Amino acid sequence: MSQKQYNVKFPKKVFSGKGSIEELKGIVSMTGASSVCLMTDPGVAGCGLAKLPLSVLEGSGARVTVIDDVPREPSVYDVQDTYRKLKDDAVDLIVAIGGGSVIDMAKIMSVAMTNESLIEDLRAEGAITEPSLPMAAIPTTSGTGAEATANAIFLYPEEDLKVGIVHEYMIPDFVILDVSVTCGLPPALTASTGVDALCHAVESYISVLSNPFCELFSLKAVQLICRSIERAYSDGNDLEAREDMQLGSFYAGLCLTTSSTVAVHALSYPLGGKYHIPHGVSNAVLLPYVMEANLECCREQFTTLAPYMIQGIEEVPEEQWPQKVVDYLYELMKKLDIPDSLTGFGVKPEDLDYLTDNAVKVERLLLKNPKKLTKEEIKNIYKRLL
Ligand SMILES: [Fe+2]
C-alpha cells in the first residue's frame, strides 16, 4: 500500500490556559520587537477584552499602535486601508485579538508589510516571497481555527465573492489559547462558530486528503466539540465547556493545514458572497444535509466518528452508526437553534441556479469530497433548504 504524502505545518509556539495572555511580554522579548500593532474589532474593543493585552504590551516597553476597527467581513479595500494605517509605523510584531476576521487581517498584514506589491493585488500569483513579520493570534471565538491555518478570507464586493489567500508564511507564529477571552461570546455566535469548527473536523476527516495527522486531531476535535457545544451554548460561563470548544476549534484548524474542507464549505461559499450569511451559519445550515448526501460513501468514516460524537452509541448495533451520525447532526442543529431553511436570509427559489452554478465552481473543495456530487445533487441540497 502506498503511503499518502502530506506536510505538517504548525504555529511555532502555543500558549494555553487561563492567564496565558501574560505570555505576550515574553513574545515581545523573544522577537525583539520595539513597535507592536495590536489589532482587534469594535466588538472586542467595546467589551474591554483588548485592555489586558494592551497593558501587557505597553508594560513590555515596546511602542504600541492599536487598530480596533477591523470589520466583521473585511473586504479587499479594508485590507488596503489597514495597510495604509500601518505602513509608516515600522511595526515589527502584530498581535491579533478577536475572531476569524481580525486574525485574517493580521495574517495578511504580516505578509503585506514584508511583501509590498501584495497590496496591489492580493490574488497575484507568487506575490509572497519574503517571510512575514512575527504574528501572535489570540482567538476570542471558537470556530474558524484561523489561529492555526495558513489562509485568510476577504470579500471582493464587485464580484459578490469571498476569496481565500493562502501561504504558509501566514500561519501565526504564536497562538495564545486563553479561555477567559471567549466567555463573552453570545450564544448564537457560540453555536455557529462552534459548528464551523465541527465542520472543519468532520470535513477534513472524510476529505480525500485525510491522513494520520489529520485523523488524530479531527477525532479529538469532534470529541471535544460534541461533548461541550450544547453546554457552551446554554451557559457561556461554563469554563470547562469553553475550554473544550477553544481547544477543539484549534485542533480542527490544524486539520485544515494537512487536509481540507469539502462540500459543506463549497456549498457555503455562494451563500456568504451574495447573501452575506455569516460563514459559520451557512456551514451549520448545510452540514447535516451534505453529510446525508455523503452517507453511502462514508459509512466507514462515520462508524469511526460515531463514538467520538454521540454518547451511548455503543448500545446501538454498529451497522446503524453511520445513519446515527447524520441523525445526530440534524438534532444538534435543532438544539442550537440553527435555521433549517435559507429563506429567512433572503434566498429565493429562483436563486437555485445561481447557487448551484457558483457552488460547482468551487472545484478546489468539491474534488476533495469523498463522493463526486453531481450538479443535480448539489441543486437538490439547496432545494431542500428553500
Ligand atoms: Fe470554516
Side-chain angles (χ1 to χ4, degrees):
M1 197 175 87
S2 68
Q3 253 198 330
K4 245 185 209 174
Q5 274 199 351
Y6 61 95
N7 299 318
V8 177
K9 303 168 205 93
F10 217 83
K12 287 184 192 132
K13 266 189 181 247
V14 180
F15 303 95
S16 184
K18 208 163 173 240
S20 50
I21 283 187
E22 300 284 344
E23 300 288 347
L24 278 174
K25 199 169 181 179
I27 291 173
V28 173
S29 64
M30 232 184 292
T31 54
S34 58
S35 177
V36 185
C37 168
L38 178 65
M39 201 171 278
T40 190
D41 65 29
V44 171
C47 66
L49 283 178
K51 278 186 194 156
L52 179 57
L54 179 60
S55 76
V56 176
L57 289 172
E58 284 175 339
S60 73
R63 190 159 58 84
V64 186
T65 307
V66 177
I67 291 196
D68 59 5
D69 59 354
V70 177
R72 201 168 56 92
E73 284 184 332
S75 72
V76 60
Y77 303 112
D78 297 315
V79 172
Q80 289 166 344
D81 281 350
T82 309
Y83 177 76
R84 273 191 287 272
K85 286 179 202 159
L86 270 189
K87 77 177 165 64
D88 297 327
D89 265 345
V91 161
D92 46 15
L93 170 66
I94 300 177
V95 175
I97 177 162
S101 304
V102 173
I103 296 175
D104 280 3
M105 182 64 90
K107 285 155 85 169
I108 200 78
M109 283 306 120
S110 74
V111 282
M113 300 297 282
T114 52
N115 296 270
E116 269 187 47
S117 67
L118 178 68
I119 217 69
E120 306 301 323
D121 178 5
L122 298 187
R123 292 184 281 193
E125 280 284 317
I128 303 174
T129 53
E130 297 302 314
S132 57
L133 288 184
M135 193 224 138
I138 310 170
T140 57
T141 61
S142 297
T144 63
E147 68 276 15
T149 65
N151 66 309
I153 293 172
F154 300 104
L155 182 69
Y156 279 73
E158 287 83 7
E159 300 168 49
D160 280 336
L161 197 66
K162 282 186 176 174
V163 175
I165 315 296
V166 190
H167 197 285
E168 65 180 274
Y169 288 157
M170 285 161 63
I171 295 178
D173 302 277
F174 306 97
V175 177
I176 296 179
L177 301 176
D178 189 331
V179 73
S180 55
V181 298
T182 68
C183 286
L185 194 66
L189 266 177
T190 301
S192 60
T193 58
V195 177
D196 186 28
L198 182 60
C199 289
H200 298 158
V202 173
E203 287 183 81
S204 59
Y205 184 73
I206 64 169
S207 164
V208 299
L209 295 183
S210 189
N211 58 69
F213 177 90
C214 166
E215 283 167 21
L216 180 70
F217 282 95
S218 61
L219 291 175
K220 189 65 193 175
V222 166
Q223 183 188 51
L224 291 165
I225 295 166
C226 291
R227 79 180 180 199
S228 288
I229 191 165
E230 290 171 57
R231 273 166 54 207
Y233 176 60
S234 60
D235 175 8
N237 290 314
D238 184 332
L239 276 187
E240 230 177 62
R242 287 290 194 193
E243 228 166 358
D244 278 357
M245 293 304 295
Q246 190 178 49
L247 198 58
S249 168
F250 176 60
Y251 283 178
L254 289 176
C255 297
L256 299 183
T257 64
T258 66
S259 179
S260 71
T261 54
V262 291
V264 179
H265 273 65
L267 271 65
S268 190
Y269 265 90
L271 295 167
K274 187 173 163 94
Y275 305 94
H276 302 284
I277 304 176
H279 177 77
V281 175
S282 53
N283 284 331
V285 171
L286 286 162
L287 176 64
Y289 294 86
V290 173
M291 289 307 142
E292 189 172 17
N294 276 330
L295 176 61
E296 285 317 310
C297 277
C298 294
R299 294 193 71 83
E300 204 183 314
Q301 293 101 313
F302 286 4
T303 301
T304 311
L305 280 169
Y308 293 89
M309 209 177 243
I310 309 165
Q311 279 177 2
I313 189 75
E314 293 76 11
E315 286 154 32
V316 176
E318 201 176 297
E319 64 271 19
Q320 294 177 23
W321 290 10
Q323 181 62 48
K324 290 286 173 198
V325 164
V326 174
D327 297 346
Y328 166 83
L329 292 173
Y330 276 112
E331 279 162 33
L332 180 65
M333 297 316 128
K334 254 190 225 150
K335 286 181 188 161
L336 298 174
D337 302 309
I338 300 292
D340 60 358
S341 162
L342 292 169
T343 49
F345 300 101
V347 185
K348 300 186 180 72
E350 53 266 37
D351 300 335
L352 260 181
D353 286 332
Y354 168 85
L355 289 171
T356 311
D357 290 345
N358 281 281
V360 168
K361 284 183 200 161
V362 194
E363 272 198 336
R364 178 175 66 84
L365 302 182
L366 285 176
L367 288 173
K368 289 156 193 157
N369 196 63
K371 177 182 164 67
K372 169 106 188 72
L373 291 172
T374 64
K375 201 171 173 180
E376 212 43 44
E377 285 167 323
I378 291 173
K379 194 172 185 174
N380 256 329
I381 293 173
Y382 286 128
K383 209 173 181 176
R384 292 180 64 196
L385 287 162
L386 289 172

